[in-house]
Short mmCIF file of all heavy atoms in Angstrom, two decimals:
data_model
loop_
_atom_site.label_atom_id
_atom_site.label_comp_id
_atom_site.label_asym_id
_atom_site.label_seq_id
_atom_site.Cartn_x
_atom_site.Cartn_y
_atom_site.Cartn_z
N GLN A 128 -3.69 21.75 18.45
CA GLN A 128 -2.51 20.86 18.20
C GLN A 128 -3.08 19.30 18.10
O GLN A 128 -2.47 18.50 17.20
CB GLN A 128 -1.60 20.90 19.40
CG GLN A 128 -0.84 22.19 19.33
CD GLN A 128 0.08 22.47 20.62
OE1 GLN A 128 -0.12 21.82 21.68
NE2 GLN A 128 1.11 23.33 20.51
N GLY A 129 -4.01 19.01 18.85
CA GLY A 129 -4.61 17.60 18.86
C GLY A 129 -5.19 17.33 17.49
O GLY A 129 -5.05 16.26 16.93
N PHE A 130 -6.01 18.32 16.99
CA PHE A 130 -6.65 18.13 15.63
C PHE A 130 -5.58 18.05 14.45
O PHE A 130 -5.76 17.44 13.54
CB PHE A 130 -7.67 19.13 15.41
CG PHE A 130 -9.03 18.62 15.95
CD1 PHE A 130 -9.42 18.93 17.31
CD2 PHE A 130 -9.83 17.86 15.22
CE1 PHE A 130 -10.56 18.55 17.84
CE2 PHE A 130 -11.04 17.44 15.71
CZ PHE A 130 -11.38 17.74 17.04
N GLU A 131 -4.49 18.93 14.71
CA GLU A 131 -3.40 18.84 13.66
C GLU A 131 -2.82 17.39 13.68
O GLU A 131 -2.56 16.88 12.62
CB GLU A 131 -2.36 19.95 13.95
CG GLU A 131 -1.14 19.85 12.97
CD GLU A 131 -1.63 19.99 11.52
OE1 GLU A 131 -2.67 20.67 11.27
OE2 GLU A 131 -0.98 19.49 10.70
N LEU A 132 -2.55 16.87 14.83
CA LEU A 132 -2.04 15.47 14.89
C LEU A 132 -3.02 14.44 14.22
O LEU A 132 -2.61 13.53 13.52
CB LEU A 132 -1.77 14.99 16.29
CG LEU A 132 -0.53 15.80 16.96
CD1 LEU A 132 -0.55 15.50 18.48
CD2 LEU A 132 0.69 15.40 16.28
N ARG A 133 -4.32 14.67 14.51
CA ARG A 133 -5.36 13.79 13.86
C ARG A 133 -5.38 13.92 12.40
O ARG A 133 -5.41 12.89 11.61
CB ARG A 133 -6.79 14.06 14.49
CG ARG A 133 -6.88 13.75 16.01
CD ARG A 133 -8.18 14.31 16.57
NE ARG A 133 -9.38 13.76 16.03
CZ ARG A 133 -10.02 12.78 16.51
NH1 ARG A 133 -9.56 12.15 17.63
NH2 ARG A 133 -11.17 12.34 15.98
N ARG A 134 -5.19 15.14 11.83
CA ARG A 134 -5.09 15.37 10.46
C ARG A 134 -3.91 14.64 9.80
O ARG A 134 -4.00 14.11 8.74
CB ARG A 134 -5.07 16.86 10.09
CG ARG A 134 -6.29 17.57 10.28
CD ARG A 134 -6.27 19.03 9.87
NE ARG A 134 -7.48 19.66 10.33
CZ ARG A 134 -7.46 20.56 11.34
NH1 ARG A 134 -6.34 20.94 12.04
NH2 ARG A 134 -8.64 21.16 11.72
N GLN A 135 -2.76 14.74 10.51
CA GLN A 135 -1.46 14.10 10.00
C GLN A 135 -1.76 12.59 9.96
O GLN A 135 -1.39 12.02 9.06
CB GLN A 135 -0.37 14.45 10.95
CG GLN A 135 0.09 15.92 10.71
CD GLN A 135 1.11 16.29 11.80
OE1 GLN A 135 1.74 15.41 12.55
NE2 GLN A 135 1.39 17.57 11.91
N ASP A 136 -2.35 12.04 11.03
CA ASP A 136 -2.67 10.65 11.10
C ASP A 136 -3.57 10.17 9.88
O ASP A 136 -3.33 9.18 9.29
CB ASP A 136 -3.39 10.21 12.32
CG ASP A 136 -2.42 10.37 13.53
OD1 ASP A 136 -1.21 10.50 13.38
OD2 ASP A 136 -2.93 10.26 14.78
N VAL A 137 -4.51 10.98 9.59
CA VAL A 137 -5.41 10.70 8.48
C VAL A 137 -4.64 10.66 7.22
O VAL A 137 -4.82 9.76 6.36
CB VAL A 137 -6.66 11.59 8.34
CG1 VAL A 137 -7.27 11.50 6.99
CG2 VAL A 137 -7.57 11.41 9.53
N ALA A 138 -3.84 11.71 6.99
CA ALA A 138 -2.93 11.71 5.76
C ALA A 138 -2.10 10.57 5.63
O ALA A 138 -1.88 10.01 4.58
CB ALA A 138 -2.31 13.10 5.68
N ILE A 139 -1.42 10.27 6.74
CA ILE A 139 -0.46 9.11 6.73
C ILE A 139 -1.14 7.81 6.36
O ILE A 139 -0.64 7.02 5.64
CB ILE A 139 0.36 9.09 8.12
CG1 ILE A 139 1.24 10.21 8.23
CG2 ILE A 139 1.11 7.67 8.29
CD1 ILE A 139 1.78 10.38 9.68
N ALA A 140 -2.36 7.66 6.95
CA ALA A 140 -3.10 6.44 6.80
C ALA A 140 -3.56 6.38 5.31
O ALA A 140 -3.35 5.28 4.68
CB ALA A 140 -4.36 6.37 7.74
N ARG A 141 -3.93 7.50 4.71
CA ARG A 141 -4.42 7.43 3.22
C ARG A 141 -3.16 7.08 2.38
O ARG A 141 -3.36 6.34 1.44
CB ARG A 141 -4.86 8.85 2.94
CG ARG A 141 -6.26 9.18 3.24
CD ARG A 141 -6.74 10.36 2.35
NE ARG A 141 -7.99 10.77 3.06
CZ ARG A 141 -8.12 11.92 3.52
NH1 ARG A 141 -7.18 12.80 3.34
NH2 ARG A 141 -9.28 12.34 4.07
N LEU A 142 -2.02 7.66 2.73
CA LEU A 142 -0.83 7.26 1.93
C LEU A 142 -0.38 5.80 1.98
O LEU A 142 -0.09 5.18 1.00
CB LEU A 142 0.36 8.17 2.32
CG LEU A 142 0.22 9.69 1.88
CD1 LEU A 142 1.31 10.49 2.53
CD2 LEU A 142 0.29 9.84 0.45
N ALA A 143 -0.52 5.29 3.19
CA ALA A 143 -0.19 3.90 3.42
C ALA A 143 -1.16 3.03 2.71
O ALA A 143 -0.78 2.03 2.13
CB ALA A 143 -0.14 3.56 4.95
N GLN A 144 -2.45 3.37 2.76
CA GLN A 144 -3.50 2.60 2.09
C GLN A 144 -3.32 2.58 0.63
O GLN A 144 -3.57 1.63 -0.08
CB GLN A 144 -4.91 3.02 2.61
CG GLN A 144 -5.15 2.65 4.05
CD GLN A 144 -6.27 3.47 4.63
OE1 GLN A 144 -6.95 4.13 4.01
NE2 GLN A 144 -6.53 3.23 5.88
N ALA A 145 -3.00 3.70 0.06
CA ALA A 145 -2.84 3.86 -1.40
C ALA A 145 -1.62 3.08 -1.86
O ALA A 145 -1.67 2.43 -2.81
CB ALA A 145 -2.70 5.38 -1.70
N LYS A 146 -0.52 3.08 -1.01
CA LYS A 146 0.59 2.40 -1.36
C LYS A 146 0.39 0.88 -1.38
O LYS A 146 0.76 0.12 -2.20
CB LYS A 146 1.73 2.64 -0.27
CG LYS A 146 3.11 2.12 -0.73
CD LYS A 146 4.12 2.71 0.30
CE LYS A 146 5.42 2.20 -0.04
NZ LYS A 146 6.44 2.81 0.98
N ALA A 147 -0.43 0.38 -0.33
CA ALA A 147 -0.81 -1.01 -0.31
C ALA A 147 -1.64 -1.37 -1.42
O ALA A 147 -1.48 -2.52 -2.07
CB ALA A 147 -1.62 -1.30 1.00
N GLU A 148 -2.59 -0.50 -1.95
CA GLU A 148 -3.40 -0.80 -3.10
C GLU A 148 -2.48 -0.94 -4.40
O GLU A 148 -2.77 -1.84 -5.23
CB GLU A 148 -4.45 0.28 -3.32
CG GLU A 148 -5.65 0.18 -2.41
CD GLU A 148 -6.35 -1.20 -2.56
OE1 GLU A 148 -6.55 -1.65 -3.70
OE2 GLU A 148 -6.78 -1.75 -1.49
N GLN A 149 -1.47 -0.08 -4.48
CA GLN A 149 -0.62 -0.14 -5.61
C GLN A 149 0.24 -1.41 -5.59
O GLN A 149 0.35 -2.11 -6.63
CB GLN A 149 0.36 0.95 -5.55
CG GLN A 149 -0.30 2.31 -5.80
CD GLN A 149 0.66 3.44 -5.78
OE1 GLN A 149 1.71 3.42 -5.16
NE2 GLN A 149 0.27 4.66 -6.34
N LEU A 150 0.59 -1.87 -4.42
CA LEU A 150 1.38 -3.14 -4.27
C LEU A 150 0.48 -4.32 -4.59
O LEU A 150 0.81 -5.25 -5.34
CB LEU A 150 1.77 -3.33 -2.79
CG LEU A 150 2.58 -4.56 -2.56
CD1 LEU A 150 3.88 -4.74 -3.49
CD2 LEU A 150 3.04 -4.63 -1.10
N ILE A 151 -0.84 -4.27 -4.18
CA ILE A 151 -1.79 -5.35 -4.55
C ILE A 151 -1.96 -5.44 -6.03
O ILE A 151 -1.90 -6.46 -6.66
CB ILE A 151 -3.18 -5.09 -3.83
CG1 ILE A 151 -3.01 -5.33 -2.29
CG2 ILE A 151 -4.23 -5.94 -4.43
CD1 ILE A 151 -4.16 -4.77 -1.46
N THR A 152 -2.05 -4.29 -6.61
CA THR A 152 -2.22 -4.23 -8.11
C THR A 152 -0.98 -4.70 -8.78
O THR A 152 -1.01 -5.57 -9.71
CB THR A 152 -2.59 -2.75 -8.55
OG1 THR A 152 -3.75 -2.39 -8.00
CG2 THR A 152 -2.68 -2.70 -10.13
N PHE A 153 0.22 -4.27 -8.31
CA PHE A 153 1.47 -4.63 -8.90
C PHE A 153 1.67 -6.23 -8.78
O PHE A 153 2.15 -6.90 -9.76
CB PHE A 153 2.66 -3.99 -8.24
CG PHE A 153 4.01 -4.41 -8.63
CD1 PHE A 153 4.47 -3.85 -9.88
CD2 PHE A 153 4.75 -5.32 -7.94
CE1 PHE A 153 5.79 -4.26 -10.27
CE2 PHE A 153 5.94 -5.70 -8.39
CZ PHE A 153 6.52 -5.19 -9.53
N LEU A 154 1.35 -6.88 -7.66
CA LEU A 154 1.51 -8.18 -7.49
C LEU A 154 0.34 -9.07 -8.13
O LEU A 154 0.31 -10.22 -8.01
CB LEU A 154 1.61 -8.52 -6.00
CG LEU A 154 2.79 -7.93 -5.26
CD1 LEU A 154 2.72 -8.22 -3.82
CD2 LEU A 154 4.10 -8.52 -5.79
N ASP A 155 -0.70 -8.32 -8.57
CA ASP A 155 -1.88 -8.92 -9.26
C ASP A 155 -2.58 -9.75 -8.19
O ASP A 155 -3.19 -10.77 -8.54
CB ASP A 155 -1.50 -9.72 -10.45
CG ASP A 155 -2.65 -9.91 -11.36
OD1 ASP A 155 -3.50 -9.05 -11.46
OD2 ASP A 155 -2.64 -10.95 -12.11
N LEU A 156 -2.61 -9.30 -7.02
CA LEU A 156 -3.38 -10.06 -5.93
C LEU A 156 -4.88 -9.83 -5.92
O LEU A 156 -5.50 -10.61 -5.31
CB LEU A 156 -2.68 -9.74 -4.56
CG LEU A 156 -1.31 -10.14 -4.40
CD1 LEU A 156 -0.81 -9.63 -3.00
CD2 LEU A 156 -1.05 -11.61 -4.50
N ASP A 157 -5.19 -8.75 -6.56
CA ASP A 157 -6.65 -8.48 -6.53
C ASP A 157 -7.49 -9.50 -7.35
O ASP A 157 -8.61 -9.64 -7.29
CB ASP A 157 -7.01 -7.10 -6.96
CG ASP A 157 -6.48 -6.68 -8.28
OD1 ASP A 157 -5.72 -7.49 -8.87
OD2 ASP A 157 -6.81 -5.55 -8.77
N GLN A 158 -6.80 -10.23 -8.25
CA GLN A 158 -7.31 -11.24 -9.08
C GLN A 158 -7.35 -12.66 -8.39
O GLN A 158 -8.18 -13.51 -8.78
CB GLN A 158 -6.63 -11.41 -10.41
CG GLN A 158 -6.48 -10.11 -11.20
CD GLN A 158 -7.93 -9.54 -11.56
OE1 GLN A 158 -8.76 -10.33 -11.89
NE2 GLN A 158 -8.05 -8.20 -11.55
N GLU A 159 -6.60 -12.86 -7.45
CA GLU A 159 -6.43 -14.18 -6.88
C GLU A 159 -7.44 -14.36 -5.72
O GLU A 159 -8.01 -13.42 -5.13
CB GLU A 159 -5.04 -14.32 -6.17
CG GLU A 159 -3.90 -14.30 -7.13
CD GLU A 159 -2.52 -14.42 -6.44
OE1 GLU A 159 -2.49 -14.87 -5.22
OE2 GLU A 159 -1.59 -14.12 -7.02
N GLN A 160 -7.80 -15.64 -5.58
CA GLN A 160 -8.65 -16.02 -4.47
C GLN A 160 -7.89 -16.06 -3.17
O GLN A 160 -6.78 -16.47 -3.21
CB GLN A 160 -9.24 -17.45 -4.77
CG GLN A 160 -10.07 -17.55 -6.00
CD GLN A 160 -11.48 -16.98 -5.75
OE1 GLN A 160 -11.95 -16.98 -4.59
NE2 GLN A 160 -12.17 -16.58 -6.84
N THR A 161 -8.48 -15.56 -2.10
CA THR A 161 -7.81 -15.77 -0.79
C THR A 161 -8.09 -17.08 -0.26
O THR A 161 -9.15 -17.61 -0.24
CB THR A 161 -8.39 -14.56 0.18
OG1 THR A 161 -9.83 -14.68 0.24
CG2 THR A 161 -8.00 -13.22 -0.25
#
């Protein structure tokens, strides 16, 4: 059960990170200087 929860967390993190990357691309922030 613990490893199933860990797997779910990894999957959720991947989806959130991919969504953030899409937002960065959409907002064209990867071209801007921080």
Side-chain angles (χ1 to χ4, degrees):
Q128 290 173 339
F130 273 89
E131 179 57 31
L132 292 171
R133 290 169 68 93
R134 286 184 193 107
Q135 291 172 13
D136 289 346
V137 168
I139 290 167
R141 276 198 201 120
L142 289 174
Q144 291 164 1
K146 190 174 184 178
E148 282 301 317
Q149 290 174 345
L150 180 59
I151 289 166
T152 300
F153 177 80
L154 297 173
D155 201 28
L156 296 176
D157 54 352
Q158 303 298 325
E159 294 181 17
Q160 297 281 338
T161 54

